[in-house]
């Protein structure tokens, strides 16, 4: 997430109930835009009968839904800035970016970015809770401190975390924006922190204007989704999503033509313009009722006065194993 306009207030828009060709919202298979404003969404997660989305905002904002169609605001994750942030990223003012969340064992792990406008002084923090349900007496987010940090003068940036739990039980965190590109570290499932703090960062993708990694396992292969282009310019944004795949989670990842993502490669998943929707970013994949769905945000929805919007749309896979996503609004 690069040079984002975090000083702007993130407002929630009402969910529309009319047809997808005139307004955002509508039946899940007939509309991508959910009609709510949410930039840099986490992977959508489900606890019991409720779906949750966490996104950029003061203290990390949340939305919840019963059906992936109608979304309502939930509580912030952090009511007050954790004490470690003032020393680690002194220019941060309490707005945390691009969270990601997953249940590991008996608790939810939520990773969030702490940075300041246009700076490489950044860190990724971790917060945990036994449950996502605010009505549950066990509900309580607890900040666990810093996971990884970057500094001015280095060559990488610790924002845009993406947690990935492989089928072999190993836990990973991908992250990064600009400079030398995207990185990968292994996590300890017991703590959520780095398994080997002194181990070198693993480079997984690079090239001009890159950020927002997301890892997914499909079949026997690992897929790395990334964003390229510029965000935060409304309908003038040039954000788009590409993907590469590998036989190993550590890479190397290559696109459909065999070009490595470390050399700027990437097969297009969602382009800049998608009907009234501009600038897709921050990929995620979920399963509901035996079908896979692809989530992201769009930098602008023309039907919402150019507001950024949460998108959820159908995901298919080609015969040779590449993801295919087309927003209904673009058909």
């Amino acid at each position: 997430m690069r040079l984002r306009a975090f000083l702007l207030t993130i407002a929630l828009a009402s969910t529309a109930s009319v047809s997808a060709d005139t307004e955002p919202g509508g039946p899940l298979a007939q509309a991508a835009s959910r009609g709510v404003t949410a930039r840099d969404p986490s992977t959508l997660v489900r606890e019991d009968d409720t779906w949750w989305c966490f996104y950029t905002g003061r203290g990390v904002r949340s939305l919840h839904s019963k059906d992936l169609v109608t979304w309502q605001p939930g509580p912030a994750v952090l009511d007050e800035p954790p004490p470690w942030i003032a020393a680690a990223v002194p220019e941060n003012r309490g707005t945390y970016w691009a969270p990601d969340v997953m249940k590991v064992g008996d608790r939810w792990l939520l990773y969030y970015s702490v940075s300041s406008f246009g700076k490489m002084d950044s860190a990724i923090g971790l917060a945990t809770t036994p449950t996502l349900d605010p009505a549950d007496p066990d509900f309580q987010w607890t900040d666990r401190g810093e996971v990884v940090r970057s500094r001015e003068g280095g060559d990488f940036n610790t924002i845009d975390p993406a947690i990935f739990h492989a089928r072999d039980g190993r836990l990973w965190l991908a992250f990064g924006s600009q400079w030398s590109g995207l990185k990968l570290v292994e996590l300890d499932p017991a703590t959520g922190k780095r398994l080997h703090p002194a181990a070198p960062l693993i480079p997984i993708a690079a090239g001009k204007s890159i950020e927002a990694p997301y890892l997914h396992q499909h079949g026997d292969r690992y897929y790395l989704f990334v964003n390229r282009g510029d965000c935060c310019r409304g309908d003038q944004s040039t954000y788009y999503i590409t993907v590469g795949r590998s036989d190993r989670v550590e890479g190397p990842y290559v696109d459909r033509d065999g070009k490595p993502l470390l050399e700027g490669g990437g097969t297009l998943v969602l382009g800049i313009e998608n009907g009234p929707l501009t600038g897709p970013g921050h990929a995620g994949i979920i399963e509901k009722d035996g079908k896979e769905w692809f989530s992201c945000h769009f930098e602008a929805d023309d039907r919402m006065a150019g507001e950024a919007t949460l998108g959820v749309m159908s995901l298919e896979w080609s015969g040779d194993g590449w993801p295919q996503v087309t927003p209904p609004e673009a058909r």
Side-chain angles (χ1 to χ4, degrees):
M1 189 175 60
R2 181 171 66 91
L3 297 180
R4 294 194 173 123
F6 298 111
L7 299 180
L8 296 176
T9 301
I10 296 177
L12 288 171
S14 298
T15 300
S17 59
V18 296
S19 62
D21 59 350
T22 57
E23 297 287 344
L28 185 59
Q30 298 177 27
S33 172
R34 294 295 98 223
V36 291
T37 297
R39 178 172 277 114
D40 316 319
S42 69
T43 306
L44 307 183
V45 294
R46 181 171 54 191
E47 184 176 56
D48 298 326
D49 64 348
T50 302
W51 291 91
W52 289 87
C53 172
F54 298 86
Y55 62 99
T56 290
R58 189 161 190 84
V60 180
R61 310 304 300 176
S62 71
L63 296 166
H64 58 91
S65 172
K66 298 294 187 181
D67 56 8
L68 298 179
V69 174
T70 301
W71 292 83
Q72 302 295 333
V77 172
L78 300 171
D79 293 328
E80 298 293 335
W84 66 270
I85 290 177
V89 190
E91 293 187 41
N92 181 266
R93 296 294 179 264
T95 295
Y96 309 132
W97 312 343
D100 201 22
V101 64
M102 177 180 288
K103 191 171 188 180
V104 179
D106 60 357
R107 62 180 180 169
W108 292 90
L109 308 180
L110 183 140
Y111 295 85
Y112 60 95
S113 311
V114 184
S115 192
S116 56
F117 193 79
K119 302 290 186 180
M120 201 186 290
D121 281 329
S122 306
I124 291 171
L126 169 64
T128 67
T129 182
T131 176
L132 301 178
D133 181 3
D136 190 309
D138 291 331
F139 174 77
Q140 178 64 56
W141 284 106
T142 301
D143 190 74
R144 304 296 181 180
E146 176 189 310
V147 177
V148 63
R149 185 191 299 191
S150 57
R151 286 286 173 263
E152 291 294 331
D155 70 347
F156 68 96
N157 198 17
T158 51
I159 64 171
D160 291 4
I163 186 174
F164 174 65
H165 205 175
R167 293 177 193 152
D168 62 8
R170 298 172 77 182
L171 191 65
W172 302 87
L173 188 72
F175 59 88
S177 173
Q178 317 310 322
W179 291 286
S180 64
L182 308 182
K183 313 296 182 184
L184 183 71
V185 295
E186 189 169 3
L187 301 176
D188 182 346
T191 66
K193 299 292 188 72
R194 291 183 68 176
L195 183 63
H196 304 293
L201 306 180
I202 302 169
I204 52 175
K208 185 178 180 180
S209 298
I210 187 170
E211 56 194 13
Y214 172 70
L215 285 165
H216 178 74
Q217 194 166 358
H218 176 73
D220 294 328
R221 291 192 173 100
Y222 300 91
Y223 290 76
L224 173 61
F225 296 79
V226 306
N227 258 97
R228 297 193 186 271
D230 295 324
C231 73
C232 315
R233 299 180 183 177
D235 62 6
Q236 299 303 303
S237 299
T238 59
Y239 239 17
Y240 62 99
I241 298 173
T242 66
V243 69
R245 70 186 185 190
S246 173
D247 293 329
R248 301 173 63 247
V249 68
E250 301 97 324
Y253 289 89
V254 300
D255 66 18
R256 201 170 197 165
D257 297 325
K259 185 174 182 178
L261 267 62
L262 281 167
E263 297 176 11
T267 296
L268 186 66
V269 178
L270 278 172
I272 299 169
E273 299 291 344
N274 299 273
L277 305 169
T278 300
H282 291 262
I285 295 174
I286 58 171
E287 183 177 309
K288 179 180 184 291
D289 300 329
K291 177 172 175 49
E292 286 185 303
W293 299 87
F294 187 90
S295 64
C296 66
H297 81 258
F298 291 93
E299 289 289 334
D301 186 338
D302 290 349
R303 301 160 301 178
M304 294 170 55
E307 295 268 8
T309 188
L310 172 66
V312 183
M313 63 214 88
S314 178
L315 170 66
E316 307 292 342
W317 295 86
S318 68
D320 57 348
W322 290 94
Q324 299 176 319
V325 181
T326 303
E329 289 92 333
R331 292 173 184 164

